[in-house]
Amino acid sequence: MIYSVSALAHILGAKLLGDPNSKVEHIFYDSRNIISPTHGVFIAFSGIRNGHNFMEEAYKKSIRIFICSHIPVVHPDATYLIVENPITALQKWAHHHLSSYQGLTTIGITGSNGKTVLKEWINQCLWEEFSIIKSPKSYNSQIGLPLSILQIDSKHNLGVFEVGISKPGEMDKQEKALHPNIGVLTNVLAAHSEYFKNKEEHILEKIKLFKHSNVIIFPNEPSISKIIREIYPDKKLVSFGEDHSDIQLLKTTLKDNIALLKISIFGKIIEYTFPFTDHASIQNVLGLLAVLNEFEFSPNLIQEKLLQLQSVSMRLELMSGINNCTIINDSFNSDYQSLEIALHFLFQQNKPKKVLILSDIFQSRMPDAELYKKIADLVNSFPLQYILLVGEKTYKYKNLFTAMYKSFLSTTEVIKFLENQSIKDATILIKGARKFELEKVAQLLVVQSHDTILEVNLHSLLMNVNYFKSQLKPETKIIAMVKASSYGLGNFEVAEVLQYYHIDYLAVAYPDEGFKLRDKGIYLPIMVMNPEMSSYDRVIDYKLEPEIYSFRELDLFIQKLKEKNTAKRYPIHIKIDTGMHRLGFQPEETRKLGELLKDNDWIEVKSVFSHFAVSDVLEEEKFTRLQASKLNYSFDILVTILGYKPLLHISNSTGIINYPEYQFDAVRLGIGMYGYIDNEKALKKLENVITLKTVISNIHELKPGETVGYGRRFIVQKNRSIATLPIGYADGIRRIIGNGKGYVNIQGKKAPIIGNICMDMMMVDVTGIACKEGDTVIIIGENPSLKKYAEWYQTIPYEVLTSISPRVKRIYYRE
């Protein structure tokens, strides 16, 4: 993709200021991801964070071309394309780009879920027959789709794109950019319809994508089928499902790790062997068969393609490694686009040393010499310390890579090398095709633990932060609570991603939490809520900002500052007790406090704050408003005496939602960031952040009269299948939910917890569930949820999260 600025201005209808002869080859919209800025354009989108505020940062990283709605700072050597709406401009650009490739067949996939898996499976089945361009990962938004379209070049003859929407009116813009020849609807779920009046309105919005499609493939669900047939009677319609469908599932037989599928394809009965057994995959394969049938693949060829299907990883796993390394595991995808995304994620990490382990790239019909030149150019644009190449192709083209490298023909050779040559203090990206089994390299490098893990979805955490940002005024700052190891999720890993995404402040409970963050490279301002007078020396050394809540504490801290002879006024935060009666100055003490602080050369008051006691209890509105009033009263006195205005804050997560008028200058975001809030409407907008999971260690077949667990609390009444899980109360699972009170999720089904929970194990009833030893078990996640666990425990979600034992390994990932 190469455009002259003058041509681009014409396409966008933009006002051009600067050099019309400049060339555009790369698009950036996040200033943090600018690595190789040559011929790059920065698009300043206006959203929760206004991209215009980051144009100066992009300029400092050598970007000289900008698409924006206004120019905050004019640079004489920069070129500006001024448009009314940068997102609309990007979509217009994508539409123009696509229209210049008339020989390209396009497939547009929309639906509530399953889009990414179906897209990747279509690519896995068709890459040998077509030169395919596809959406990277799950790029399907108002920005992601046009960015995907703009990657099309003359070599491509098939495009497979995801198309996502979240609100009414968005699909018209997406359809205008894409116009897919073949339209696929995976499903429409009510759970994804909070912005729509009802499911019918949601379906109507989704299927706008198919206005110009020749073929529409859709699930034969009554409400969907009826609407599509009414609106598009003249198009070729292909339904899939279990009842009277064009692609009809007649019978499923599960055997070991495969599914035997009996399928009717337009009346012709065919049996297929399919290498997945879960319900979602079987639904997805019906849509896949409909697509393959449109390309007139023979049953034998389809069977061959199905057996080659690989599971689709939509995430980058971030794990603690040996030798103080951080490991990013992306060993399941093999294409240029996902490599680019993974490299950007690698360079978001804090450790200065970056290492890449890369296998041969498959799923491309590009000639090897051209493909590996393109891959090497991409890799060389990132300042890597070391590259380990794996495979015959990378071995052949190893000289194209400029960083220090080692090249190996097999994964076994890589493992032998790493066993004898340790890599220390680095972030290591493991990126490659499933064939090379690079997960074995990950297993070698990752700190080992048992089978129970806590997965932390950093993408969902950031989406939750963005939701709360959307409820705030643009100028309101966010203080992110990472105390108690980020509520049990891991303080550094959470703090690092918050720092990368420009959060304003962090807050910890005790100084040692702040010391650890500083030692690992966190440079954001950190507020300490309970600074412990014995730690004042190190608090100052580590540039932590203490909460001051008493005259004695204030006096001791000022004495310590004098002893250390600090060069400038040190930032502190004044706590006012407005009714919590835990810590803080009383409102009637603020005049005396102000006089002590006035003209003090050793300290600067950065903020004045208090704690809401009952912002989540709407019946206590009067008390909450009284607290805000007391804080305002104290703040006004302090500001008058001090002669300057610190930040003012009191709102927590529920305060942001229930009392928006009290967001003041800043808010403190805690549990809401981690996926929970005691407000049903807001809770529906939050994404699940944590998944506590384990595996089935053992399955017993028990007969009537036999018992399970300590105390023989469960007595078998009829033949039952009982699974043992390697997780118990030492991992944070309380005994109170045993004996049938709680359940776990196995293969999407509820398995009741039976008998007494042990220290390291629990038993569940898996009778009637198709499962085996080694299968994954969800303890806490989407279902059962954090909220459900709190109900079982008769406590609050905070306590559930912080009770998960440190011995449970945390794995962090990004979608």
Side-chain angles (χ1 to χ4, degrees):
M1 179 199 74
I2 301 176
Y3 282 82
S4 70
V5 166
S6 59
L8 191 52
H10 177 73
I11 294 166
L12 303 184
K15 179 182 178 182
L16 171 59
L17 296 177
D19 181 8
N21 298 313
S22 301
K23 301 292 184 185
V24 171
E25 192 169 353
H26 305 288
I27 299 172
F28 300 98
Y29 60 94
D30 187 331
S31 57
R32 296 158 300 190
N33 289 340
I34 299 171
I35 303 292
S36 180
T38 306
H39 300 309
V41 60
F42 181 83
I43 306 180
F45 297 122
S46 296
I48 294 171
R49 281 205 178 270
N50 192 332
H52 294 82
N53 296 335
F54 300 95
M55 287 172 61
E56 192 64 15
E57 183 179 337
Y59 178 84
K60 290 176 182 177
K61 291 186 175 183
S62 299
I63 292 291
R64 291 296 180 266
I65 305 171
F66 298 88
I67 297 174
C68 53
S69 60
H70 62 277
I71 308 173
V73 179
V74 177
H75 293 281
D77 61 337
T79 298
Y80 301 93
L81 295 168
I82 303 172
V83 297
E84 184 176 342
N85 185 318
I87 292 180
T88 302
L90 177 68
Q91 292 167 334
K92 188 183 295 186
W93 185 4
H95 174 69
H96 177 275
H97 187 74
L98 178 61
S99 64
S100 62
Y101 294 96
Q102 296 297 322
L104 181 78
T105 298
T106 53
I107 301 174
I109 307 171
T110 191
S112 296
N113 57 27
K115 299 185 292 295
T116 302
V117 171
L118 183 56
K119 176 201 67 186
E120 294 297 334
W121 280 356
I122 291 172
N123 179 64
Q124 290 178 24
C125 288
L126 298 180
W127 74 273
E128 292 177 300
E129 288 77 18
F130 295 91
S131 179
I132 300 175
I133 179 71
K134 62 183 177 70
S135 309
K137 294 286 182 176
S138 54
Y139 275 34
N140 60 39
S141 66
Q142 302 285 301
I143 295 172
L145 175 63
L147 287 175
S148 302
I149 291 171
L150 285 167
Q151 301 305 309
I152 297 169
D153 64 34
S154 58
K155 293 186 292 293
H156 298 127
N157 54 17
L158 178 64
V160 188
F161 301 100
E162 287 185 54
V163 186
I165 59 165
S166 58
K167 298 177 182 178
E170 290 184 343
M171 190 58 88
D172 285 321
K173 299 172 185 176
Q174 299 282 63
E175 194 278 335
K176 190 173 182 180
L178 183 57
H179 285 2
N181 304 113
I182 299 173
V184 182
L185 178 66
T186 57
N187 50 43
V188 178
L189 303 178
H192 289 252
S193 304
E194 59 262 31
Y195 292 104
F196 297 90
K197 295 175 184 175
N198 49 47
K199 185 174 180 179
E200 180 180 353
E201 185 184 61
H202 199 185
I203 295 168
L204 287 167
E205 183 69 21
K206 293 273 190 189
I207 67 173
K208 287 179 182 177
L209 178 63
F210 309 143
K211 288 178 185 176
H212 294 88
S213 299
N214 303 316
V215 180
I216 302 174
I217 297 170
F218 61 95
N220 196 22
E221 194 261 312
S223 59
I224 294 173
S225 182
K226 180 176 182 292
I227 293 172
I228 287 180
R229 294 182 191 281
E230 286 177 354
I231 293 180
Y232 298 118
D234 299 327
K235 296 184 182 292
K236 181 178 180 181
L237 304 179
V238 180
S239 64
F240 62 86
E242 297 185 7
D243 296 315
H244 308 292
S245 304
D246 300 313
I247 311 297
Q248 183 176 349
L249 178 63
L250 301 175
K251 184 180 179 182
T252 303
T253 304
L254 303 181
K255 185 178 180 181
D256 297 326
N257 291 321
I258 62 171
L260 304 176
L261 306 179
K262 189 175 184 180
I263 307 283
S264 169
I265 299 182
F266 289 97
K268 184 177 181 180
I269 309 300
I270 306 170
E271 292 188 353
Y272 289 115
T273 300
F274 181 55
F276 299 91
T277 58
D278 60 288
H279 177 74
S281 293
I282 290 172
Q283 292 302 303
N284 285 329
V285 81
L286 297 178
L288 175 63
L289 290 171
V291 172
L292 296 180
N293 189 67
E294 284 305 305
F295 287 94
E296 300 181 346
F297 277 31
S298 69
N300 288 341
L301 182 56
I302 290 175
Q303 177 63 88
E304 182 183 326
K305 298 287 186 182
L306 293 184
L307 290 175
Q308 294 173 2
L309 287 178
Q310 299 176 358
S311 61
V312 177
S313 174
M314 291 176 282
R315 67 191 199 181
L316 294 160
E317 292 183 340
L318 190 66
M319 298 171 283
S320 297
I322 59 176
N323 301 319
N324 195 34
C325 287
T326 300
I327 310 301
I328 302 172
N329 183 20
D330 192 21
S331 58
F332 308 105
N333 290 302
S334 173
D335 61 74
Y336 177 88
Q337 292 166 308
S338 65
L339 172 61
E340 184 175 15
I341 292 170
L343 284 167
H344 278 295
F345 185 60
L346 170 64
F347 278 84
Q348 291 174 19
Q349 308 312 310
N350 201 46
K351 291 183 185 295
K353 237 162 96 173
K354 307 292 193 299
V355 175
L356 171 65
I357 301 176
L358 176 67
S359 81
D360 289 352
I361 297 290
F362 297 136
Q363 297 176 13
S364 172
R365 297 178 74 247
M366 193 182 295
D368 285 349
E370 186 178 349
L371 173 63
Y372 285 93
K373 173 66 166 59
K374 185 178 180 181
I375 291 168
D377 287 345
L378 171 65
V379 171
N380 293 340
S381 68
F382 291 83
L384 292 156
Q385 274 67 44
Y386 213 84
I387 306 173
L388 301 182
L389 302 171
V390 191
E392 295 179 0
K393 303 294 186 183
T394 53
Y395 188 90
K396 180 178 179 181
Y397 294 101
K398 60 187 178 183
N399 293 328
L400 295 173
F401 297 87
T402 56
M404 184 185 296
Y405 69 85
K406 288 280 185 181
S407 189
F408 307 91
L409 292 173
S410 71
T411 301
T412 301
E413 293 178 19
V414 179
I415 291 173
K416 286 181 180 177
F417 172 79
L418 290 171
E419 286 174 340
N420 296 301
Q421 182 77 38
S422 62
I423 299 173
K424 298 179 180 179
D425 305 312
T427 303
I428 305 172
L429 169 61
I430 303 173
K431 178 74 181 128
R434 178 62 61 86
K435 169 185 173 181
F436 287 92
E437 298 182 318
L438 290 183
E439 62 270 21
K440 293 179 180 177
V441 177
Q443 290 168 7
L444 173 69
L445 297 178
V446 168
V447 174
Q448 297 303 308
S449 66
H450 66 126
D451 291 326
T452 299
I453 60 174
L454 179 68
E455 292 184 342
V456 181
N457 188 330
L458 296 175
H459 175 80
S460 291
L461 184 144
L462 291 171
M463 290 302 98
N464 293 339
V465 172
N466 283 341
Y467 167 71
F468 284 98
K469 278 183 183 176
S470 73
Q471 307 300 304
L472 301 173
K473 295 176 291 187
E475 64 270 21
T476 302
K477 297 183 182 300
I478 291 181
I479 302 168
M481 306 303 293
V482 294
K483 63 180 181 176
S485 193
S486 296
Y487 291 33
L489 277 62
N491 60 350
F492 167 68
E493 291 80 5
V494 171
E496 183 179 45
V497 76
L498 291 171
Q499 176 172 275
Y500 184 79
Y501 280 87
H502 300 303
I503 209 74
D504 300 294
Y505 247 93
L506 299 177
V508 297
Y510 295 101
D512 58 344
E513 296 176 319
F515 302 154
K516 291 176 183 177
L517 292 178
R518 287 284 188 252
D519 285 339
K520 291 194 173 185
I522 298 300
Y523 52 79
L524 283 176
I526 300 175
M527 178 181 177
V528 183
M529 310 295 281
N530 191 1
E532 296 178 319
M533 299 169 194
S534 61
S535 300
Y536 281 170
D537 257 320
R538 296 183 74 201
V539 164
I540 296 167
D541 291 342
Y542 277 87
K543 295 181 173 59
L544 306 179
E545 302 179 11
E547 166 190 314
I548 301 296
Y549 51 82
S550 71
F551 290 110
R552 176 174 176 268
E553 188 197 16
L554 175 63
D555 183 56
L556 290 171
F557 191 70
I558 292 174
Q559 285 183 36
K560 184 58 66 175
L561 290 171
K562 290 178 179 178
E563 287 175 20
K564 297 183 77 67
N565 195 25
T566 53
K568 59 182 180 179
R569 299 172 77 193
Y570 200 90
I572 64 171
H573 301 263
I574 297 297
K575 173 73 176 292
I576 305 296
D577 180 7
T578 60
M580 178 80 83
H581 297 319
R582 194 169 58 176
L583 295 173
F585 294 94
Q586 297 304 309
E588 55 268 24
E589 296 176 322
T590 49
R591 191 168 297 280
K592 175 185 174 182
L593 175 62
E595 293 298 333
L596 285 172
L597 295 171
K598 183 182 178 182
D599 300 326
N600 189 297
D601 293 332
W602 295 98
I603 56 175
E604 176 188 5
V605 180
K606 291 294 288 186
S607 82
V608 178
F609 73 102
S610 189
H611 273 87
F612 275 144
V614 282
S615 62
D616 56 338
V617 184
L618 296 180
E619 293 79 8
E620 293 276 9
E621 178 182 352
K622 184 177 179 180
F623 186 84
T624 298
R625 295 196 181 281
L626 178 62
Q627 281 194 276
S629 176
K630 287 182 177 180
L631 179 62
N632 268 318
Y633 167 80
S634 303
F635 182 71
D636 289 342
I637 291 174
L638 286 172
V639 169
T640 300
I641 296 174
L642 292 173
Y644 62 90
K645 188 178 180 183
L647 297 175
L648 177 65
H649 53 99
I650 191 171
S651 277
N652 52 8
S653 298
T654 50
I656 295 170
I657 301 302
N658 293 338
Y659 298 95
E661 64 271 34
Y662 297 142
Q663 62 183 260
F664 297 140
D665 301 306
V667 296
R668 298 191 303 276
L669 181 58
I671 193 69
M673 178 168 61
Y674 303 115
Y676 178 78
I677 188 170
D678 192 10
N679 179 297
E680 285 301 320
K681 185 176 179 182
L683 183 59
K684 291 178 181 177
K685 305 292 179 66
L686 300 183
E687 296 189 12
N688 180 58
V689 172
I690 66 109
T691 302
L692 179 61
K693 59 168 60 172
T694 189
V695 299
I696 296 175
S697 296
N698 192 231
I699 295 178
H700 295 279
E701 301 299 331
L702 301 186
K703 297 176 181 178
E706 294 188 282
T707 61
V708 176
Y710 286 119
R712 303 185 69 198
R713 293 290 300 277
F714 181 80
I715 301 173
V716 177
Q717 302 298 321
K718 56 183 178 179
N719 291 344
R720 313 300 292 176
S721 296
I722 307 300
T724 302
L725 314 180
I727 183 171
Y729 57 76
D731 301 294
I733 305 303
R734 293 188 186 174
R735 283 165 51 95
I736 191 175
I737 67 168
N739 298 301
K741 184 171 182 180
Y743 63 83
V744 300
N745 187 322
I746 300 176
Q747 301 289 12
K749 297 183 179 180
K750 296 179 181 179
I753 301 169
I754 59 170
N756 283 326
I757 291 175
C758 311
M759 180 181 289
D760 308 299
M761 287 172 276
M762 70 165 74
M763 284 67 73
V764 297
D765 188 345
V766 295
T767 307
I769 300 176
C771 60
K772 60 185 182 304
E773 293 174 2
D775 279 0
T776 298
V777 180
I778 304 300
I779 307 297
I780 307 175
E782 294 283 358
N783 181 29
S785 66
L786 182 62
K787 180 182 178 182
K788 176 63 71 175
Y789 254 78
E791 291 170 358
W792 289 341
Y793 283 2
Q794 300 173 23
T795 185
I796 55 177
Y798 303 75
E799 189 174 348
V800 178
L801 279 179
T802 56
S803 296
I804 298 173
S805 169
R807 82 175 185 178
V808 175
K809 180 179 177 182
R810 274 69 169 164
I811 292 180
Y812 304 86
Y813 65 93
R814 287 284 307 276
E815 298 291 346

